[in-house]
C-alpha cells in the first residue's frame, strides 16, 4: 500500500425520492452538506474548498460561486466537476490534488438534484444533438442497450447473467433503509419478465431516476488525525475520457474504466483481489458486467460465471454495491455516482449499520459518465490499513 | 413502403451548422458525404474544423460508398423522446462504414434480420420532412425522395 493522499472525514446523504415539489438543487445541496459537516464533526469555517456539479436548467454558469454564496462559504478553491456519473469520484482525487497543491485544506464535494415536474431541459448544440438525437436515439437507454447487445454477441452472455446483477442489487437494497427499492426485492425471473425498454435491456436492468443529494468532505491526512471522527483514506485514483457519443467509442465491450482502474491499483499498490468491497457504478446491468471484466477480477466475457460462483452481499464472498448500487438505491442523477463513494466510506469506517462487511480494509469505487465515456476509479483504505491500528480517531 | 409513416413524425431534427451543411445537403440527394483529411488520409465523421487524427485543417468533402456493417444495435420500445412513440418499435444502430468511421443511424431491417457484423448499405429516409441517413440490407435500393 502506498502513502495515503487524503482523508474522507464526513459524508451526508439525503434519502432519495421519486418526485419533489418545488425543491431547488441549492436547497438539497445545503441539506446534504449540513449532514456531512455534522458527520465530520468539524465547523463550517473549516471548509475552504468547494467542488460542485453542473446544474442543467438552473444555473448554467458560475455554479461554484452560486453554491458558495448559498452556503455562506468563501472557498480558496472552487470548481465544477463535469464527468457525468464519474463526477463524484472525480471530485475526490481533485480535492486531494488541490489540498496537495496547497490551495486549501478541507474540501466540500457535493452533488444533488430535484425532480420537480417543471424541470427545464437546456437547449443543446453539439454533435450528439445533431447526429444521435435526430435518429430517435436520445437518452442513455438506447446507448447501454447497444453495449449489452455487443457483449451478448461477442461473448454469448445471457440475459439471465445480467438479471442476476439486478437481483443482487435489490437483495443488498433490503439492508439500506434509504434505498428506493428497500422493501422491494426481486429475482432474476422478475427482471426478465419486466418490459423491454430498448432491446435487450429490460426495465429492471435500468436505474430508477430519483431526487437526492450526496456530500463528502475531504481533508489532508495530517488534519484528519486532529479530528475526533474516523476517516477513510484515498490511496489511489485513475481517470480516463475516451469519447462522448457511442458511435465514436473505441471499443464496445471494454471501457475507459480499464485504464482508470489499472492506474488506481498501481497508485495504491493494490490489486482488485485485495478489495473488501467493490463499489461499482451501475447505471445499467451491462455497466457492472463490463467493470467486473475490465477490473481483471474475471476474464472478459465471463462476468456471468463470476457472479454465479460468488455471493455479492455484505456477508458474501465478494461484497458488491452493499448499498444496493444505483440499481437498488435509485439514481439521484449526478449524485448517483457519489453514492458509491459514500457507501465505501461507511464500510471502511465501520458505520454501515446493518450491512457492515467484517474488517473492511480496501474498497474499489468506480464512476462512469455519458456513454461509457468518462471514467474515474478510486481505491480507498480503512484507518487500520493506513495507520496500522484500528479505530484511530474514534 | 413500410417506413412511409416516418414522414409524418414530428421529432427533433438535426441542429445543422454551416460546417456540417454539406453532409445534410448530400443526404437530401440520397448520398452519404463526409470529410477526408488530405494530410493523414483519414475519413472523418462527424464533420469537424480540424482532423481529429492529425489536427490538420486540410479537410475536403467526398462521397462514401455507403457500404457498411452493423457494429451494434437496439430496437427501441420506449423512446427517450416521446415524439418517437408513434413509430415504436424502431431500430437504431452503430454502423461501421467501409471507409473507417462509425456513425449512428436508423436501421430499416426486420428484427429477425438484425445481426452484428451484417453488411448493410446506405439509404435515406424522410423523417418529418428531413432526409436522414439510414441503413438497410444491400438488395433494397429504394430511396425516399
Amino acid at each position: 500500500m502506498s502513502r495515503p493522499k487524503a482523508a474522507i472525514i464526513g459524508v451526508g446523504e439525503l434519502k432519495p425520492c421519486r418526485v419533489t415539489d418545488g425543491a431547488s438543487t441549492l436547497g438539497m445541496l445545503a441539506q446534504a452538506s449540513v449532514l456531512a459537516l455534522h458527520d465530520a464533526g468539524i465547523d463550517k469555517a473549516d471548509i475552504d474548498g468547494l467542488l460542485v456539479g453542473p446544474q442543467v436548467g438552473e444555473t448554467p454558469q458560475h455554479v461554484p460561486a452560486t453554491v458558495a454564496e448559498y452556503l455562506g462559504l468563501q472557498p480558496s478553491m472552487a470548481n465544477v466537476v463535469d464527468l457525468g456519473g464519474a463526477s463524484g469520484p472525480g471530485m475526490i482525487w481533485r480535492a486531494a490534488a488541490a489540498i496537495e497543491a496547497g490551495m486549501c485544506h478541507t474540501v466540500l464535494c457535493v452533488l444533488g438534484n430535484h425532480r420537480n415536474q417543471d424541470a427545464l431541459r437546456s437547449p443543446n448544440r453539439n454533435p450528439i444533438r445533431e447526429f444521435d438525437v435526430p435518429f430517435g436515439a436520445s437518452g442513455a437507454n438506447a446507448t447501454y442497450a447497444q453495449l449489452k447487445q455487443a457483449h451478448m454477441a461477442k461473448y454469448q452472455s445471457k440475459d439471465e447473467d445480467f438479471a442476476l446483477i439486478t437481483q443482487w442489487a435489490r437483495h443488498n437494497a433490503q439492508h439500506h433503509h434509504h434505498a428506493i427499492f428497500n422493501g422491494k426485492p426481486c429475482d432474476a425471473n422478475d427482471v426478465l419478465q419486466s418490459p423491454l425498454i430498448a432491446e435487450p435491456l429490460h426495465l429492471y436492468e435500468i436505474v430508477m431516476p430519483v431526487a437526492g443529494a450526496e456530500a463528502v468532505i475531504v481533508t489532508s491526512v495530517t488534519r484528519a488525525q486532529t479530528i475526533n471522527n474516523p476517516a477513510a483514506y484515498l490511496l489511489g485514483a485513475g481517470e480516463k475520457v475516451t469519447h462522448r457519443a457511442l458511435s465514436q467509442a473505441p471499443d464496445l465491450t471494454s471501457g475507459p474504466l480499464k485504464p482508470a482502474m489499472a492506474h488506481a491499483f498501481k497508485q495504491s499498490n493494490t490489486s482488485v483481489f485485495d478489495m473488501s468491497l467493490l463499489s461499482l457504478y451501475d447505471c445499467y446491468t451491462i455497466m457492472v458486467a463490463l467493470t467486473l471484466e475490465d477490473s481483471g477480477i474475471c476474464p472478459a466475457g465471463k462476468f456471468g460465471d463470476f457472479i454465479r460462483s460468488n455471493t455479492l452481499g455484505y456477508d458474501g464472498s465478494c461484497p458488491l454495491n452493499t448499498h444496493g448500487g444505483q440499481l437498488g438505491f435509485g439514481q439521484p442523477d449526478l449524485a448517483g455516482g457519489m453514492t458509491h463513494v459514500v457507501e465505501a466510506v461507511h464500510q471502511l469506517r465501520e458505520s454501515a449499520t446493518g450491512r457492515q462487511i467484517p474488517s473492511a480494509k480496501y474498497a474499489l469505487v468506480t464512476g462512469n459518465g455519458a456513454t461509457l465515456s468518462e471514467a474515474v476509479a478510486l481505491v480507498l483504505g480503512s484507518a487500520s490499513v493506513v495507520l496500522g491500528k484500528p479505530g484511530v480517531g474514534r | 413502403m413500410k417506413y412511409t409513416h416516418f414522414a409524418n413524425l414530428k421529432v427533433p431534427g438535426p441542429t445543422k451548422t454551416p460546417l456540417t451543411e454539406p453532409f445534410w445537403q448530400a443526404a437530401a440527394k440520397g448520398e452519404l458525404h463526409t470529410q477526408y483529411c488530405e494530410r493523414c488520409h483519414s475519413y472523418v465523421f462527424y464533420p469537424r474544423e480540424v482532423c481529429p487524427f492529425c489536427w490538420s485543417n486540410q479537410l475536403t468533402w467526398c462521397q462514401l460508398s455507403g457500404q457498411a456493417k452493423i457494429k451494434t444495435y437496439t430496437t427501441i420500445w420506449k423512446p427517450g423522446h416521446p415524439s418517437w412513440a408513434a413509430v415504436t418499435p424502431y431500430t437504431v444502430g452503430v454502423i461501421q462504414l467501409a471507409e473507417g468511421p462509425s456513425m449512428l443511424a436508423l436501421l430499416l431491417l426486420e428484427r429477425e434480420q438484425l445481426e452484428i457484423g451484417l453488411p448493410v448499405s446506405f439509404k435515406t429516409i424522410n423523417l418529418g420532412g428531413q432526409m436522414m441517413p439510414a441503413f438497410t440490407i444491400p438488395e433494397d435500393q429504394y430511396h425516399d425522395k
Side-chain angles (χ1 to χ4, degrees):
Chain A
M1 189 207 75
S2 62
R3 185 179 67 89
K5 299 170 192 322
I8 300 174
I9 54 170
V11 294
E13 174 174 281
L14 301 190
K15 183 175 165 59
C17 59
R18 281 288 285 156
V19 293
T20 50
D21 184 13
S24 71
T25 301
L26 289 168
M28 297 180 70
L29 296 182
Q31 290 177 49
S33 300
V34 168
L35 291 172
L37 188 77
H38 290 167
D39 180 54
I42 60 171
D43 192 80
K44 168 177 165 290
D46 294 328
I47 295 172
D48 63 352
L50 178 65
L51 293 174
V52 296
Q55 294 180 16
V56 175
E58 279 195 341
T59 305
Q61 287 181 297
H62 311 295
V63 185
T66 304
V67 174
E69 181 191 274
Y70 194 92
L71 294 173
L73 297 173
Q74 296 184 4
S76 306
M77 183 284 296
N79 218 328
V80 174
V81 179
D82 182 8
L83 294 170
S87 300
M91 287 174 172
I92 305 301
W93 80 256
R94 283 174 170 77
I99 293 165
E100 179 71 23
M103 299 304 292
C104 54
H105 55 70
T106 303
V107 182
L108 170 65
C109 307
V110 61
L111 291 156
N113 68 293
H114 64 72
R115 280 188 42 94
N116 299 336
Q117 297 292 345
D118 59 351
L120 297 171
R121 298 303 301 260
S122 67
N124 290 330
R125 184 169 180 263
N126 55 44
I128 285 248
R129 177 62 188 78
E130 182 170 6
F131 292 106
D132 280 33
V133 171
F135 295 101
S138 50
N141 292 342
T143 295
Y144 286 87
Q146 292 180 83
L147 290 168
K148 184 183 174 191
Q149 188 85 260
H151 193 281
M152 293 174 80
K154 182 171 182 180
Y155 296 117
Q156 288 77 52
S157 48
K158 298 282 181 282
D159 258 336
E160 291 76 8
D161 301 333
F162 291 94
L164 287 172
I165 293 170
T166 301
Q167 178 179 306
W168 276 110
R170 293 283 194 99
H171 172 89
N172 288 348
Q174 305 318 306
H175 301 283
H176 194 323
H177 70 280
H178 275 182
I180 201 82
F181 287 113
N182 187 273
K184 295 173 186 169
C186 79
D187 62 23
N189 196 46
D190 296 328
V191 177
L192 299 176
Q193 295 300 314
S194 67
L196 280 169
I197 302 299
E199 287 185 53
L201 273 183
H202 301 81
L203 179 63
Y204 289 2
E205 296 182 81
I206 302 171
V207 284
M208 179 174 277
V210 294
E214 308 274 325
V216 174
I217 296 174
V218 180
T219 194
S220 67
V221 174
T222 307
R223 203 174 177 95
Q225 306 319 309
T226 69
I227 293 161
N228 186 32
N229 194 50
Y233 293 84
L234 176 66
L235 304 179
E239 182 164 304
K240 187 76 176 171
V241 179
T242 50
H243 62 279
R244 172 60 187 92
L246 181 72
S247 64
Q248 308 304 311
D251 195 331
L252 297 179
T253 54
S254 175
L257 265 172
K258 186 169 186 173
M261 287 188 287
H263 195 268
F265 289 135
K266 188 178 177 190
Q267 268 201 348
S268 58
N269 195 25
T270 63
S271 92
V272 69
F273 300 103
D274 295 323
M275 299 299 125
S276 312
L277 167 69
L278 301 179
S279 199
L280 308 184
Y281 192 89
D282 62 337
C283 45
Y284 297 85
T285 52
I286 177 64
M287 194 60 219
V288 177
L290 292 174
T291 306
L292 286 170
E293 295 173 5
D294 278 347
S295 78
I297 205 166
C298 65
K302 298 292 186 189
F303 82 90
D305 292 347
F306 176 82
I307 289 176
R308 285 173 204 283
S309 58
N310 278 282
T311 49
L312 310 183
Y314 70 92
D315 53 355
S317 60
C318 180
L320 189 153
N321 288 346
T322 43
H323 66 308
Q326 296 175 77
L327 286 166
F329 182 89
Q331 180 176 61
D333 203 61
L334 298 176
M338 195 65 110
T339 68
H340 297 274
V341 175
V342 169
E343 177 64 8
V345 171
H346 279 307
Q347 292 291 355
L348 295 171
R349 296 191 319 189
E350 305 199 352
S351 57
T353 310
R355 59 179 192 283
Q356 181 62 50
I357 299 167
S359 309
K361 292 183 172 62
Y362 297 103
L364 172 66
V365 177
T366 63
N368 162 70
T371 56
L372 200 66
S373 315
E374 304 151 330
V376 174
L378 305 175
V379 172
L380 305 181
S382 67
S384 65
V385 297
V386 168
L387 306 170
K389 43 187 175 176
V392 161
R394 267 167 209 269
Chain B
M1 291 299 291
K2 184 173 184 295
Y3 297 99
T4 49
H5 58 305
F6 279 67
N8 302 319
L9 274 179
K10 290 192 167 42
V11 294
T15 49
K16 302 171 191 175
T17 67
L19 178 79
T20 62
E21 192 61 46
F23 175 85
W24 296 107
Q25 286 173 0
K29 296 188 293 182
E31 295 175 359
L32 178 61
H33 289 210
T34 192
Q35 289 174 312
Y36 179 76
C37 176
E38 300 285 358
R39 181 168 153 201
C40 76
H41 308 291
S42 303
Y43 290 91
V44 173
F45 182 86
Y46 47 89
R48 291 159 163 96
E49 286 285 356
V50 297
C51 169
F53 303 104
C54 73
W55 284 19
S56 143
N57 62 358
Q58 298 170 42
L59 294 167
T60 55
W61 284 89
C62 63
Q63 183 172 3
L64 300 186
S65 66
Q67 301 308 306
K69 285 184 177 175
I70 298 177
K71 275 181 87 172
T72 188
Y73 63 91
T74 178
T75 300
I76 295 178
W77 293 84
K78 192 174 189 317
H81 193 286
S83 303
W84 279 85
V87 292
T88 54
Y90 62 94
T91 302
V92 299
V94 177
I95 301 307
Q96 177 91 54
L97 300 167
E99 290 82 359
S102 293
M103 66 182 294
L104 191 111
L106 282 162
L107 291 179
L108 309 182
L109 287 82
E110 301 300 324
R111 286 173 65 206
E112 55 272 18
Q113 295 176 307
L114 291 163
E115 187 185 349
I116 289 175
L118 185 75
V120 288
S121 62
F122 176 80
K123 65 174 286 181
T124 50
I125 182 170
N126 181 348
L127 278 192
Q130 169 69 46
M131 298 308 287
M132 292 293 289
F135 286 82
T136 188
I137 51 176
E139 286 73 23
D140 182 1
Q141 295 301 320
Y142 170 79
H143 285 248
D144 288 340
K145 285 279 170 72

